[in-house]
Amino acid sequence: MVNGYEPIKYFAELWGLNPRTVRMMCANGKISGAVKFGRDWMIPSDAQRPQDNRISSGAYIDWRKEK
């Protein structure tokens, strides 16, 4: 494709994420250097995976019951 850039599908497979998730990361500016060519996002080949800030510990479960 474009020298030095890879499509979303490549990084989705590399990082083990859904392509939709990677697309949203690009749209929200979480992947530095991501550029939109027409309707497709292209990510620099040397891009690092952004930190995942989702809560996965389960600490939020039943938070309303704790009083």
Side-chain angles (χ1 to χ4, degrees):
M1 301 217 86
V2 180
N3 283 341
Y5 287 89
E6 299 291 337
I8 285 178
K9 185 176 179 181
Y10 171 79
F11 282 100
E13 291 173 3
L14 180 69
W15 294 339
L17 298 172
N18 191 311
R20 171 84 174 147
T21 304
V22 178
R23 191 174 300 113
M24 292 305 295
M25 288 177 174
C26 291
N28 292 331
K30 295 188 181 209
I31 301 175
S32 62
V35 180
K36 194 167 187 181
F37 290 107
R39 67 178 193 159
D40 298 324
W41 284 96
M42 298 297 283
I43 304 170
S45 300
D46 59 350
Q48 299 295 318
R49 180 178 176 171
Q51 183 178 355
D52 189 1
N53 294 328
R54 295 178 294 176
I55 299 172
S56 60
S57 66
Y60 61 89
I61 296 175
D62 295 330
W63 63 273
R64 292 183 183 161
K65 293 180 182 178
E66 298 174 8
K67 286 189 177 183

